[in-house]
Structures are given as structure tokens and as C-alpha cells.
């Protein structure tokens, strides 16, 4: 019976349609915990429909993990919506982060471009590194944060 071609086919189909997707869900869930996305989800998880200035296929370094071209940023009047593409949604619920919870830290030079370093959250902040200009930093809430954006003479 174990040598039956039908048994082998069943094993291949089970691996392809059950084991590999389960493994992928486990991997993406683990990445959310390492990056800090899971920590942010405890405070900022949102089921609301994000409507606003939407930028798809964005990249960010969140904590220790690079999310290359898998995020959607939605800039709204009251905050920033972050949504991963469906393939990476396990362990990564959509986040709505109010502007007042985002702090501008400074610019950082990457190999090919300038990046904005942000801190998200109040009690134990998570570091975000995003391409300069990916979000409108003028939307940040506090005047102290905005004054950091102006060049000093």
C-alpha cells in the first residue's frame, strides 16, 4: 500500500497544500515577534478600513527585520495605516498608528538612499527605518518633532 502511486500523490498534495502553508504561517508569525510588529499590534491593531493617501509596495526595517516591498502605507488625517501584503499577513494584523505615537529620530544614509528613522510607541518604542519621503513627516503631531525636521543654521 505504501508503494502505491496514489499514496505518494496524496503525500505530495498533503505536503504542498498543508505542511508548506503551515510552515510559512509559522515563519511569518515568528518574524512579527522578532521585528516588534506583534508588540505594536497589542496597542495599534486595527480592523478599520484605511482610506487616505495610499502607497503600495513600500519597504521598511522594523526592529531587526526588513520588509522589502511588502507593505502598504495609508496616510490619514489622524494617523498612519500599515498593512502587509496577504502573503505576509500571518502574525501581521493591520496597524493604525496615531501620528502622536510616531517620533522622528533622524536621517540615516543607506547604500543607495536616505532613510528616515522613526520611533513608534510610547512605553517600549519600536524602531522603523523607511525611505525618506515615504510618509509626510509634517503630519507628526508634536512641535518638538517638527522642529527636528527643520535644518539648523
Amino acid at each position: 500500500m505504501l508503494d502505491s502511486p496514489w499514496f505518494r500523490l496524496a503525500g505530495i498534495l498533503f505536503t504542498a497544500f498543508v505542511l508548506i502553508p503551515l510552515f510559512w504561517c509559522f515563519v511569518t508569525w515568528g518574524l512579527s515577534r522578532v521585528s516588534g510588529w506583534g508588540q505594536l499590534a497589542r496597542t495599534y491593531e486595527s480592523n478599520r478600513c484605511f482610506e487616505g493617501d495610499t502607497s503600495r509596495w513600500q519597504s521598511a526595517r522594523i526592529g531587526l527585520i526588513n520588509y522589502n516591498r511588502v507593505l502598504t502605507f495609508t496616510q490619514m488625517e489622524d494617523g498612519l495605516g500599515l498593512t502587509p501584503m496577504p502573503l505576509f499577513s500571518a502574525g501581521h494584523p493591520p496597524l493604525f498608528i496615531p501620528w502622536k505615537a510616531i517620533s522622528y529620530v533622524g536621517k540615516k544614509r543607506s547604500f543607495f538612499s536616505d532613510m528616515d528613522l522613526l520611533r513608534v510607541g510610547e512605553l517600549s518604542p519600536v524602531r522603523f527605518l523607511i525611505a525618506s519621503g515615504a510618509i509626510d513627516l509634517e503630519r507628526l503631531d508634536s512641535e518638538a518633532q517638527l522642529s527636528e525636521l527643520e535644518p539648523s543654521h
Side-chain angles (χ1 to χ4, degrees):
M1 178 171 158
L2 294 178
D3 289 337
S4 166
W6 293 109
F7 188 77
R8 288 185 190 159
L9 179 62
I12 291 169
L13 292 174
F14 181 77
T15 300
F17 292 107
V18 176
L19 294 181
I20 292 173
L22 281 175
F23 178 73
W24 181 253
C25 288
F26 177 74
V27 167
T28 59
W29 178 85
L31 290 174
S32 79
R33 297 308 179 252
V34 171
S35 71
W37 192 291
Q39 174 186 334
L40 290 172
R42 286 192 288 274
T43 305
Y44 303 113
E45 182 175 353
S46 177
N47 291 325
R48 82 187 250 188
C49 181
F50 296 150
E51 293 182 11
D53 184 18
T54 300
S55 302
R56 293 185 185 356
W57 306 107
Q58 296 298 308
S59 300
R61 180 178 177 98
I62 303 172
L64 301 173
I65 305 299
N66 288 321
Y67 291 86
N68 293 319
R69 305 266 181 223
V70 298
L71 298 175
T72 297
F73 298 158
T74 305
Q75 299 178 71
M76 296 165 276
E77 191 66 34
D78 52 345
L80 177 67
L82 286 175
T83 310
M85 65 188 309
L87 188 61
F88 293 90
S89 63
H92 292 83
L95 303 177
F96 173 75
I97 305 168
W99 293 118
K100 66 181 180 181
I102 302 173
S103 301
Y104 178 79
V105 176
K107 290 235 182 264
K108 190 170 183 177
R109 182 80 176 140
S110 153
F111 287 112
F112 302 108
S113 64
D114 288 330
M115 308 293 280
D116 289 325
L117 181 58
L118 308 172
R119 193 172 40 240
V120 178
E122 289 143 12
L123 296 176
S124 53
V126 173
R127 293 170 46 108
F128 270 65
L129 193 60
I130 62 173
S132 289
I135 65 169
D136 181 10
L137 296 176
E138 296 292 322
R139 293 181 184 234
L140 298 179
D141 201 32
S142 79
E143 291 180 17
Q145 291 169 345
L146 291 175
S147 67
E148 293 176 20
L149 298 177
E150 298 172 3
S152 58
H153 298 282

